[in-house]
Amino acid sequence: RSKQWYQRRVRGIGVRGKDSACVITQRKIPDKLVDEETVTHLYRVTKNTGCVMTGMVADSDMQVQRARYEAAEFKYQFGYDMPPDMISKRLADIGQSYTLCVCAGN
């Protein structure tokens, strides 16, 4: 492993209780020129659902945007908030579809 890659890793942990959850993540500032108030790994998906995203910030932002879209579309269609397990399953299905390639001519 390269030392630079290892130093950029951000760790997060979550604990779930009967009626609550707690998540903790590191807050590493990638560069001296970045405003530290803008760096976060905690995101709100819906009014009552949030998530912790680690990895590349741009990739995390796209995943959170997609989760928000899927949750809003679900609420529009069915009239209630999308449960967190359904959000995660839907994002996993979408992510899996990107790994499958059916190329014409092969």
Side-chain angles (χ1 to χ4, degrees), residues 45-86:
V45 177
T46 66
K47 181 180 172 187
N48 297 317
T49 305
C51 69
V52 174
M53 300 291 282
T54 58
M56 301 288 290
V57 175
D59 294 339
S60 298
D61 288 343
M62 292 305 297
Q63 289 286 342
V64 170
Q65 283 299 106
R66 185 61 189 244
R68 289 174 179 159
Y69 168 79
E70 294 294 332
E73 188 67 26
F74 184 92
K75 185 167 185 170
Y76 177 74
Q77 287 183 359
F78 300 106
Y80 63 94
D81 285 337
M82 189 176 198
D85 63 319
M86 288 184 70

Side-chain angles (χ1 to χ4, degrees), residues 79-99:
Y80 63 94
D81 285 337
M82 189 176 198
D85 63 319
M86 288 184 70
I87 295 172
S88 63
K89 177 148 178 39
R90 178 69 180 142
L91 289 179
D93 290 344
I94 292 168
Q96 178 66 24
S97 70
Y98 287 124
T99 65

Side-chain angles (χ1 to χ4, degrees), residues 28-44:
K28 290 186 178 180
I29 311 303
D31 194 321
K32 293 177 187 176
L33 299 175
V34 174
D35 181 12
E36 65 183 48
E37 295 299 318
T38 63
V39 177
T40 185
H41 295 286
L42 301 171
Y43 298 92
R44 179 174 291 216

